[in-house]
Amino acid sequence: MTATTSKATSALPNFYEGIQYFGEAPPEFETYGATPVIESGKTAIANPEETAAVYQTLLTADALRYLTLQITGSKASGHPGGFASQAEAYAALVMLGYKNIITEVGHHAPGFYSAMFLDRSLEDMGIYTVQQLRDRFREKHGLLGHLSGYIPGILAPAGPLGQGQHFAMAAALLYKDKLFPFTVGDGGLGEPYVMSSMAHFHTAYPGVTNFLPVLVWNGYSQEHHSMVSIKTNEQMMSYWHGNGFEEVVLVDAKDFDDKDQAGDYVDSTAFSFAQRLAFTQAVLLGIDEAARSALSGKLTVFIIKQLKGAGVHARGAKSHNLYPKDTLDAPHIVNALKERALPLEAWQTVRTNCERAGGGPAAKTVVTEFEYPLPDLGELPLEEYAVGGDPKVSTTAMGRLVAKVGQIDANFLVTNADGNEASGIGNINQALKIIHPTTDDLYNQAPGGQVYEPLSEDACAGLAAALSLMGARSLWCSYESFAINGLPIWQTVTQAMAELRRPTPSTITLFTAGALEQGRNGWTHQRPEIEAYFAAMMRNGNVFPLFPPDANSIQVCYDWALTTKNKGIVITASKSPLPIRTTFNMTRHGLQDGAVVLQEVAGDKQVVFAVIGDMTLIPVFEAAAFLETEGIGVKIVSVINPRRLYRPHDTSWDTCAEPDGGFIDDEKFAELFAGDALIGVTGGAAAMLEPVMLRSACKRDTFAWRRGETTASAGELMAFNGLTAEALTKRAIELVH
């Protein structure tokens, strides 16, 4: 069939320009497909049992398959197979008016882009036609290979598996009247935390069930059969029931197969048209049942069981991605597109339904397209301790402010893997209470608390970071040595924040008990390599590791972090009582300039110590005292905000949402760090000192963490790593002479 322009209604290009093949009308199209079943002014189909509703849901599924294959074929790259196997489920959600759809599966990206195109969301980025959709797939400033918050209508990033549930649960917590379905692949189901994170969330928030896992059970992972492919339907349902799901709705394409396809997983697009409608109706009714169940207070999952690659160029794992040979000119791609081709009139119907569903394009209606309203925190009650006074625990000083934030902001959540008291922040638990079904005053736990404590760093980081992405305030607390287990999703979210089209509170962390404090606990507790990750992430432009040297400084750091948007802010501090070395104003300057001078003594030659951390200052001050007796001048500089010490061109700050272009100039850098010799000192990864070493022109060296060892004290562990006053003194003398 040949495309016409008779139905164009505006000066915009015809959306269907770029569709290569148009097909014949399906049976009874004029009766059930010609008039959009979602009426003007409505947000969903009126009745999922009506034939027209089922018929047009099927049209939508095929339109999604066609576009997914055509845009991936346009670049001979991308992943059509997984999304294709659940196209009926996605289409059903849309036809029922649900558009706050999330996924953990980055490989579903071309399907989601197709959906955003059909409902006109992509017009916000200048994509009006299928040709433009094709042209901008996998292009810079276009449609990235994996989902991103840069794309209008997309609620959350996707790529690392086992993460989608965090976004859905966070959104459900903030918007209790809306449904948040998320697709999870049967390959991704094998990730270690998917089920446990939902189980803990449901125990903590038994009334928050308005998130809906949609399991795409297609029998295959990326390159082979999925590990759950051998389960029977009964076993799969029992698995979900056994993990706390009250309602399990499973629709198996095999039950509708009239073509005698081999195996447990079949392709519904091969059925007769009547059986395709029957299968689609089962999916539509099943999604409707599952959605109503989830919204009524029951933990619910919907499972669609259909062969991977249904309706595209290949089946099974072979459908997962395209290779250079899979071009739009390749016969197997051409044949697949022709099989899915719709008539122009059907495209018009699908597009109208998609645009009306949910009240308009996702880019205008989903929750993440709006800034979440937050209560004003006012001026927090910072308490300034006297410099040189009694030692104070930094984390405890911050904990008092965290408690105040929670008392003002009811949606504020603190997450920790069951270790706040051990981190010196038991005052947070006392003020905000650990969320637990068992009320126990001894352990500061009660239903309705604001401290979320699963024994999983992934679950801690996931919910905290997801809440920030969705627009709320949160704080993820951890030991530095364990936090690396939750870093992947935090890293995913900070990158997404750099691309968002709206401001959202920065995702803030507090990492306590650095490796230097964990010597007596054995090498399993000594993992400061996470600082190397953050050092690398600083170059993103929106990641700010902060190293307050004392209890005054940490309060100012947290107070500043709360005012920022779209950043990842990592506060690392000790849980041991340490000397007060700074005033509030010193840290305010340190946050702006990157560092602050703690001590300066003149001499014939001057050694500058650039120090990251708090405990590491102890041997540095000891070394300085000895060097003074030798007539050598010493300047001790506490590096509080190393991101400020880069040069502007070192990071991608100008490409970030809510860009922060604060960097010190060469004159200020020289004022802080110029001398006859420079020694960088850190109890963590040496990479964090890169901004200093990159710009310094004097003789220099670095003292940093090497590896863990079981020791009786922090001093002994520092000595094992060469971080002693004697070693620092010796090297300083060598450098200046």
Side-chain angles (χ1 to χ4, degrees):
M1 151 169 205
T2 303
T4 68
T5 58
S6 60
K7 294 197 177 184
T9 58
S10 72
L12 294 176
N14 294 316
F15 76 90
Y16 49 79
E17 291 177 7
I19 294 177
Q20 287 182 243
Y21 307 102
F22 292 89
E24 298 300 321
E28 300 185 273
F29 175 80
E30 288 301 322
T31 303
Y32 299 115
T35 302
V37 72
I38 299 181
E39 298 176 4
S40 178
K42 302 295 183 181
T43 62
I45 56 177
N47 182 357
E49 295 186 358
E50 287 184 0
T51 302
V54 176
Y55 192 103
Q56 293 181 31
T57 300
L58 178 55
L59 293 180
T60 304
D62 274 357
L64 288 169
R65 286 189 173 100
Y66 181 95
L67 289 179
T68 299
L69 184 57
Q70 186 159 309
I71 64 174
T72 53
S74 69
K75 299 296 169 66
S77 180
H79 309 89
F83 185 88
S85 61
Q86 55 86 63
E88 286 82 5
Y90 194 106
L93 285 167
V94 171
M95 295 294 280
L96 290 164
Y98 304 116
K99 281 194 174 174
N100 286 285
I101 307 173
I102 296 167
T103 184
E104 60 134 22
V105 193
H107 293 157
H108 282 186
F112 273 72
Y113 297 153
S114 299
M116 294 305 103
F117 173 78
L118 286 173
D119 83 350
R120 303 184 69 169
S121 288
L122 297 188
E123 290 182 6
D124 284 3
M125 56 188 298
I127 296 176
Y128 295 94
T129 70
V130 173
Q131 186 62 53
Q132 293 168 335
L133 182 66
R134 294 164 53 175
D135 292 344
R136 293 183 63 185
F137 179 61
R138 291 209 156 187
E139 297 293 336
K140 185 180 179 183
H141 303 306
L143 301 168
L144 310 176
H146 287 64
L147 293 175
S148 160
Y150 172 75
I151 309 300
I154 299 298
L155 283 85
L161 299 180
Q163 295 186 353
Q165 75 279 2
H166 296 307
F167 302 118
M169 293 186 301
L173 197 55
L174 297 176
Y175 300 92
K176 295 184 175 64
D177 61 334
K178 298 183 183 299
L179 182 72
F180 295 92
F182 71 95
T183 59
V184 53
D186 55 352
L189 192 62
E191 292 295 313
Y193 308 120
V194 176
M195 204 63 82
S196 66
S197 62
M198 289 189 288
H200 187 92
F201 182 89
H202 186 54
T203 304
Y205 301 105
V208 181
T209 62
N210 53 310
F211 63 98
L212 177 65
V214 176
L215 177 64
V216 186
W217 191 16
N218 58 34
Y220 292 86
S221 186
Q222 180 163 321
E223 295 185 350
H224 52 72
H225 293 260
S226 68
M227 296 303 285
V228 295
S229 62
I230 61 172
K231 287 186 181 295
T232 65
N233 291 357
E234 292 72 23
Q235 288 172 333
M236 180 61 84
M237 294 179 75
S238 295
Y239 174 74
W240 287 86
H241 280 305
N243 279 283
F245 281 78
E246 190 173 352
E247 292 290 334
V248 180
V249 182
L250 189 153
V251 178
D252 185 353
K254 184 77 171 178
D255 295 339
F256 302 87
D257 182 25
D258 58 355
K259 299 298 183 183
D260 296 323
Q261 298 178 60
D264 294 329
Y265 302 87
V266 299
D267 177 357
S268 71
T269 68
F271 301 170
S272 66
F273 190 72
Q275 285 304 98
R276 291 201 68 196
L277 285 174
F279 172 64
T280 302
Q281 182 174 45
V283 173
L284 185 60
L285 292 174
I287 287 283
D288 186 51
E289 177 189 352
R292 292 177 186 276
S293 174
L295 289 168
S296 69
K298 294 180 181 179
L299 193 61
T300 305
V301 59
F302 178 83
I303 303 172
I304 181 169
K305 187 176 183 181
Q306 176 169 217
L307 180 63
K308 184 164 186 171
V312 289
H313 69 296
R315 304 296 181 269
K318 300 301 182 183
S319 71
H320 182 76
N321 59 290
L322 270 58
Y323 293 95
K325 65 180 178 60
D326 299 317
T327 67
L328 291 177
D329 297 326
H332 64 294
I333 301 292
V334 171
N335 290 336
L337 288 172
K338 287 181 176 179
E339 287 175 5
R340 293 280 71 77
L342 297 172
L344 176 58
E345 293 80 3
W347 282 105
Q348 297 283 8
T349 295
V350 168
R351 185 168 167 83
T352 300
N353 281 331
C354 288
E355 184 180 358
R356 292 174 179 173
K364 308 297 183 189
T365 58
V366 298
V367 298
T368 50
E369 295 295 330
F370 306 93
E371 192 171 355
Y372 190 76
L374 296 170
D376 185 1
L377 296 178
E379 189 171 326
L380 293 181
L382 278 65
E383 181 179 353
E384 188 164 16
Y385 305 112
V387 174
D390 293 339
K392 300 291 181 182
V393 178
S394 290
T395 55
T396 304
M398 178 172 157
R400 191 173 54 81
L401 299 182
V402 172
K404 186 65 175 177
V405 173
Q407 289 161 357
I408 297 170
D409 185 349
N411 284 321
F412 175 70
L413 191 73
V414 178
T415 69
N416 191 315
D418 196 13
N420 275 348
E421 289 206 29
S423 294
I425 46 177
N427 51 359
I428 296 176
N429 293 352
Q430 293 161 16
L432 302 182
K433 306 305 178 187
I434 299 166
I435 309 162
H436 200 284
T438 302
T439 300
D440 192 322
D441 292 338
L442 177 63
Y443 297 103
N444 302 300
Q445 64 188 43
Q450 291 174 268
V451 181
Y452 188 75
E453 288 206 342
L455 280 172
S456 163
E457 293 294 354
D458 174 86
C460 289
L463 191 59
L467 281 167
S468 290
L469 186 72
M470 294 293 159
R473 297 183 178 105
S474 69
L475 176 69
W476 168 32
C477 301
S478 180
Y479 278 9
E480 181 189 53
S481 50
F482 300 155
I484 198 165
N485 298 309
L487 182 59
I489 186 166
W490 191 86
Q491 182 174 3
T492 299
V493 169
T494 54
Q495 185 62 48
M497 283 181 166
E499 300 168 339
L500 286 184
R501 298 172 312 287
R502 74 183 198 288
T504 193
S506 296
T507 176
I508 305 172
T509 75
L510 171 63
F511 296 148
T512 64
L516 297 177
E517 292 182 279
Q518 290 292 347
R520 67 193 63 172
N521 281 352
W523 66 267
T524 59
H525 286 57
Q526 300 164 17
R527 300 178 62 184
E529 73 270 19
I530 194 171
E531 289 185 23
Y533 280 85
F534 297 129
M537 290 173 71
M538 275 196 293
R539 286 185 174 258
N540 286 355
N542 73 326
V543 174
F544 289 75
L546 304 181
F547 296 92
D550 59 31
N552 278 345
S553 183
I554 198 171
Q555 295 178 71
V556 177
C557 286
Y558 183 55
D559 192 44
W560 173 76
L562 287 167
T563 68
T564 63
K565 300 290 186 182
N566 297 70
K567 294 176 176 58
I569 298 180
V570 181
I571 301 173
T572 301
S574 292
K575 62 174 183 174
S576 301
L578 292 172
I580 302 298
R581 305 185 189 275
T582 66
T583 64
F584 283 172
N585 278 336
M586 288 172 71
T587 291
R588 291 186 181 112
H589 285 294
L591 286 169
Q592 179 178 322
D593 297 336
V596 64
V597 177
L598 300 184
Q599 176 178 301
E600 186 169 10
V601 177
D604 293 337
K605 299 283 187 177
Q606 188 175 56
V607 176
V608 179
F609 289 101
V611 187
I612 288 178
D614 43 24
M615 297 189 80
T616 41
L617 285 165
I618 296 172
V620 171
F621 271 90
E622 292 177 11
F626 183 83
L627 290 168
E628 288 174 38
T629 66
E630 297 292 307
I632 298 173
V634 177
K635 188 194 304 186
I636 301 175
V637 183
S638 176
V639 177
I640 296 175
N641 188 358
R643 156 63 168 70
R644 297 275 186 236
L645 302 179
Y646 274 119
R647 301 159 298 187
H649 65 269
D650 291 325
T651 79
S652 296
W653 70 271
D654 53 337
T655 68
C656 294
E658 304 296 312
D660 184 323
F663 300 88
I664 62 170
D665 58 23
D666 290 340
E667 183 179 358
K668 185 63 182 180
F669 185 88
E671 183 183 322
L672 286 168
F673 297 106
D676 296 292
L678 172 71
I679 298 178
V681 184
T682 176
M688 194 63 75
L689 286 162
E690 185 195 39
V692 180
M693 298 300 166
L694 191 64
R695 297 180 73 172
S696 174
C698 61
K699 291 182 179 179
R700 55 197 183 275
D701 205 342
T702 299
F703 282 68
W705 179 266
R706 296 171 183 168
R707 73 168 174 86
E709 181 55 85
T710 301
T711 60
S713 67
E716 189 178 353
L717 184 58
M718 282 195 271
F720 177 76
N721 281 278
L723 296 166
T724 64
E726 293 77 13
L728 292 167
T729 301
K730 179 175 181 292
R731 186 59 180 137
I733 293 172
E734 290 172 353
L735 288 173
V736 296
H737 293 308

